Amino acid sequence: MLVETSVPSGVKDVRRLDRVIIRFAGDSGDGMQLTGDRFTSETASFGNDLSTLPNFPAEIRAPAGTLPGVSSFQLHFADHDILTPGDAPNVLVAMNPAALKANVGDLPRGAEIIVNTDEFTKRALQKVGYAASPLDDGSLDGYGLHPVPLTTLTVQALKEFDLSRKEAERSKNMFALGLLSWMYHRPTEGTEKFLRTKFAGKPAIAEANLAAFRAGWNFGETTEEFAVSYEVAPAAKAFPMGTYRNISGNLALAYGLVTASRQADLPLFLGSYPITPASDILHELSKHKNFGVRTFQAEDEIAGIGASLGAAFGGSLAVTTTSGPGVALKSETVALAVSLELPLLIIDIQRGGPSTGLPTKTEQADLLQAMFGRNGEAPVPVIAPRTPADCFDAALEAARIALTYRTPVMLLSDGYLANGSEPWRIPDLEELPDLRVQFAQGPNHTLDDGTEVFWPYKRDPQTLARPWAIPGTPGLEHRIGGIEKEDGTGNISYDPANHDFMVRTRQAKIDGIEVPDVEVDDPDEAGTLVLGWGSTYGPITAAVRRLRTAGESIAQAHLRHINPFPRNLGDVLTRYDKVVIPEMNLGQLATLIRAKYLVDANSYNQVNGTPFKAEQLATVLREITHAS
């Protein structure tokens, strides 16, 4: 956190900073996600660049006041281009002892800590293993500690309302939000409008939350505890010209799917079963029936993808959403889609595994499942977005491939992208791709006797895609099913030579997909290349920037298309003495790279449920670069 200048403002000073990292932390019932989301929305409207990292328990209601029950929301905002939610918070708002204990280890010395002293009771301290209060024992002397009785102040601010003490206490997160909004000069109009809308049916509750929010602001303005407030100017030079909004990865995916259906002039069908962290896509798409979107919440994962495959057969842009365990359940139907050669999007929002694993934590460990997790030779294209906003473009690209090549496509996002957010430039309509397809209209083959017939597996010579015929079209009756088809006719075939040909043709279709070349960022002809995929883009890029600022020479490339790989990837890899692949798994992309290109890639791996930190990666990359 860099302090540039101090400007007197009445009694209190205003200090200008170039960036700040704030973490709100409390019990899972304290409303920390809502608090962080509102602070983020106001920060986005102010014009800062930002990146967020929500973090919450998997249990519906973990035991109150315990370490497993801590929920947090981290926001990094700046007056310049940033890429990650930040390595370590400059400010921690801790609503109880558990929140303090779970997060204080992440703070650098000198960071500010705002604690709700009302919750530091003997019982609450004992519950998380504190023998004595850290507010009194000197253990926090290295930090800027601000003890604030948030609960008491909130209850006092709401005494004129007809609320019980318990009901009034629920607004303490709004008091904290008001205080932080004052400290960092955040706009307030959006939050006030949000509260009135959210509690439109309960106007008394809306007014109580508004009163708590304003009381927090006023407390910051008048108390002697906070002698300084801070300004972070808008990131005017960080963005190209355009209209921006704050967006999460799941919301961007949903918007991308709706856009793809409009650009393809096809109805959108989502067959899904709720699963963390993918459910928000189902929730969002269910709101857009006006765009021809049909959402089906199935009784299980298998029914969800089965319905989607049926919708694809019927001429829809068909999608199914899930996370790791759901992909395993869907694998048989994905293989059926490979055999039927129908366009289908399988969106996997990856999470920690195996089995139930870490449902609310992030991981990149489904790559090999996406590549090979089906019986037989069943190749599927695999693509991965790099940032929350990039999820929009990745959805369009997945739709392009599925519709053009008549194939299921796996899109691998993850919990970090799904729940994180950043500014997104709303594209102009003329920037969007034309995804329209031509359905089969009539016979496409002439038999030796001159009879015109429809062959469902007669392929386009360029894409190897088979024709897409809408059921019920006169003259286009054809057979589908999981048993092997005869080339061209689509009849059931057990002929060994035909099966060999069909297997190789399906593989050739995937291998022949046109994807852009991988771009390499290498201003200094470096000897080391850092290769990544998916959500590691932000931490890798931030680490590379730090190394270059320190005078190091290092190159970077990032993959969106993993199957097939970009055609120039092999040539790129051979230009470097060392290739480093950081992944949030045990080396799955590295395994594919080593096997295909015979490159002795250095694999750096992390599977702790959290994203890489920029400084952590910078240290590792520096060591590998200088190793003999």
Side-chain angles (χ1 to χ4, degrees):
M1 182 169 63
L2 301 179
V3 178
E4 295 181 351
T5 58
S6 294
V7 180
S9 176
V11 177
K12 298 191 176 185
D13 282 348
V14 177
R15 295 182 184 173
R16 292 177 180 164
L17 312 176
D18 66 346
R19 65 186 181 93
V20 176
I21 304 168
I22 299 175
R23 183 181 297 176
F24 298 93
D27 192 71
S28 57
D30 284 338
M32 294 295 94
Q33 302 305 317
L34 175 61
T35 305
D37 182 69
R38 291 314 314 158
F39 196 93
T40 299
S41 294
E42 299 294 4
T43 297
S45 69
F46 187 72
N48 296 119
D49 195 9
L50 62 88
S51 180
T52 68
L53 179 63
N55 189 6
F56 43 86
E59 292 85 350
I60 292 174
R61 187 67 175 92
T66 64
L67 294 175
V70 173
S71 174
S72 68
F73 189 104
Q74 183 163 308
L75 166 67
H76 183 192
F77 62 102
D79 66 2
H80 57 277
D81 175 35
I82 58 173
L83 296 155
T84 74
D87 288 359
N90 308 121
V91 181
L92 171 66
V93 179
M95 303 297 281
N96 61 18
L100 177 64
K101 188 166 189 177
N103 292 282
V104 70
D106 294 336
L107 302 180
R109 289 292 174 175
E112 294 188 74
I113 304 175
I114 301 171
V115 295
N116 180 14
T117 56
D118 289 323
E119 295 296 322
F120 279 69
T121 63
K122 183 176 180 181
R123 184 171 181 272
L125 291 166
Q126 290 175 342
K127 192 179 289 188
V128 294
Y130 278 127
S133 174
L135 308 184
D136 305 320
D137 65 5
S139 60
L140 301 179
D141 287 350
Y143 307 98
L145 180 64
H146 301 281
V148 180
L150 288 172
T151 306
T152 298
L153 291 170
T154 302
V155 172
Q156 289 176 352
L158 303 184
K159 61 184 178 182
E160 64 184 72
F161 293 87
D162 186 21
L163 299 173
S164 67
R165 180 178 176 86
K166 186 175 182 179
E167 289 173 329
E169 288 179 0
R170 290 176 182 159
S171 297
K172 62 181 180 289
N173 64 323
M174 288 297 104
F175 189 100
L177 177 59
L179 172 58
L180 269 293
S181 297
W182 170 82
M183 284 183 65
Y184 292 97
H185 295 247
R186 299 296 91 186
T188 61
E189 295 81 4
T191 294
E192 295 196 2
K193 181 179 179 181
F194 168 82
L195 291 172
R196 287 196 175 94
T197 302
K198 181 177 176 63
F199 299 107
K202 300 178 180 179
I205 299 297
E207 291 304 317
N209 277 281
L210 283 167
F213 176 67
R214 292 166 181 161
W217 178 285
N218 293 334
F219 176 77
E221 184 75 37
T222 58
T223 183
E224 295 182 3
E225 181 62 42
F226 297 94
V228 177
S229 64
Y230 304 92
E231 283 185 350
V232 180
K237 298 180 180 179
F239 308 117
M241 292 294 293
T243 302
Y244 287 80
R245 59 155 295 165
N246 184 48
I247 201 166
S248 68
N250 275 351
L251 185 58
L253 266 173
Y255 286 177
L257 293 171
V258 174
T259 303
S261 77
R262 302 293 285 186
Q263 294 301 107
D265 197 22
L266 297 174
L268 178 65
F269 180 89
L270 173 67
S272 184
Y273 180 75
I275 184 171
T276 302
S279 299
D280 284 342
I281 303 174
L282 170 62
H283 301 160
E284 182 61 32
L285 288 179
S286 68
K287 303 174 184 177
H288 297 291
K289 296 180 178 64
N290 57 313
F291 286 116
V293 178
R294 294 179 176 88
T295 52
F296 171 56
Q297 181 173 317
E299 65 267 29
D300 56 38
E301 296 281 3
I302 299 171
I305 190 173
S308 295
L309 185 56
F313 178 57
S316 292
L317 176 59
V319 185
T320 189
T321 52
T322 189
S323 190
V327 177
L329 290 167
K330 295 178 189 292
S331 62
E332 182 180 3
T333 308
V334 176
L336 177 59
V338 172
S339 177
L340 302 184
E341 299 190 44
L342 286 169
L344 175 66
L345 306 186
I346 305 100
I347 296 177
D348 176 11
I349 313 298
Q350 299 168 94
R351 70 190 204 186
S355 187
T356 306
L358 303 174
T360 60
K361 311 302 179 185
T362 195
E363 208 163 274
Q364 287 183 296
D366 293 348
L367 177 55
L368 294 183
Q369 178 178 224
M371 287 287 293
F372 306 118
R374 294 163 294 283
N375 66 299
E377 296 287 346
V380 169
V382 179
I383 71 172
R386 60 177 60 182
T387 69
D390 187 51
C391 289
F392 177 87
D393 296 314
L396 288 170
E397 176 65 358
R400 177 191 73 84
I401 292 173
L403 295 170
T404 303
Y405 296 91
R406 311 285 197 271
T407 177
V409 176
M410 298 284 292
L411 187 153
L412 298 181
S413 179
D414 60 42
Y416 175 32
L417 298 184
N419 297 317
S421 61
E422 66 176 351
W424 171 58
R425 187 181 69 83
I426 301 172
D428 295 327
L429 290 178
E430 56 268 21
E431 298 175 40
L432 300 174
D434 184 351
L435 300 178
R436 287 174 294 182
V437 296
Q438 182 66 50
F439 291 111
Q441 300 297 315
N444 61 358
H445 185 75
T446 303
L447 300 178
D448 292 341
D449 63 2
T451 304
E452 292 187 336
V453 296
F454 174 66
W455 274 14
Y457 281 84
K458 185 170 185 177
R459 301 179 183 279
D460 181 289
Q462 298 298 319
T463 65
L464 299 182
R466 74 173 187 86
W468 193 4
I470 299 295
T473 305
L476 301 189
E477 298 85 359
H478 59 286
R479 182 193 305 270
I480 65 169
I483 299 179
E484 184 64 280
K485 314 295 185 300
E486 182 181 57
D487 176 44
T489 69
N491 296 328
I492 290 175
S493 174
Y494 289 93
D495 178 65
N498 177 79
H499 177 59
D500 183 273
F501 177 81
M502 293 294 279
V503 167
R504 294 178 186 276
T505 300
R506 287 188 289 262
Q507 183 64 58
K509 181 172 70 170
I510 304 306
D511 292 341
I513 292 173
E514 290 291 334
V515 303
D517 283 349
V518 64
E519 296 181 359
V520 182
D521 177 15
D522 184 4
D524 302 315
E525 297 186 358
T528 299
L529 172 71
V530 189
L531 181 67
W533 70 279
S535 67
T536 57
Y537 173 78
I540 289 175
T541 306
V544 167
R545 286 182 181 179
R546 293 187 185 196
L547 291 174
R548 289 177 180 170
T549 300
E552 302 282 351
S553 178
I554 192 165
Q556 177 189 0
H558 209 79
L559 295 175
R560 164 174 282 175
H561 299 86
I562 304 174
N563 192 33
F565 284 128
R567 283 171 172 73
N568 69 330
L569 181 57
D571 292 337
V572 166
L573 295 173
T574 59
R575 298 206 302 260
Y576 294 92
D577 300 327
K578 296 177 181 178
V579 176
V580 187
I581 305 178
E583 297 181 78
M584 292 187 294
N585 56 48
L586 295 183
Q588 297 188 15
L589 176 63
T591 296
L592 298 176
I593 293 294
R594 289 167 180 154
K596 184 172 180 63
Y597 299 107
L598 303 181
V599 171
D600 186 19
N602 293 270
S603 187
Y604 179 68
N605 310 112
Q606 172 177 296
V607 281
N608 61 10
T610 63
F612 285 111
K613 295 181 178 180
E615 187 59 33
Q616 164 197 5
L617 278 181
T619 300
V620 170
L621 296 176
R622 185 183 295 109
E623 292 173 351
I624 292 175
T625 299
H626 291 287
S628 57

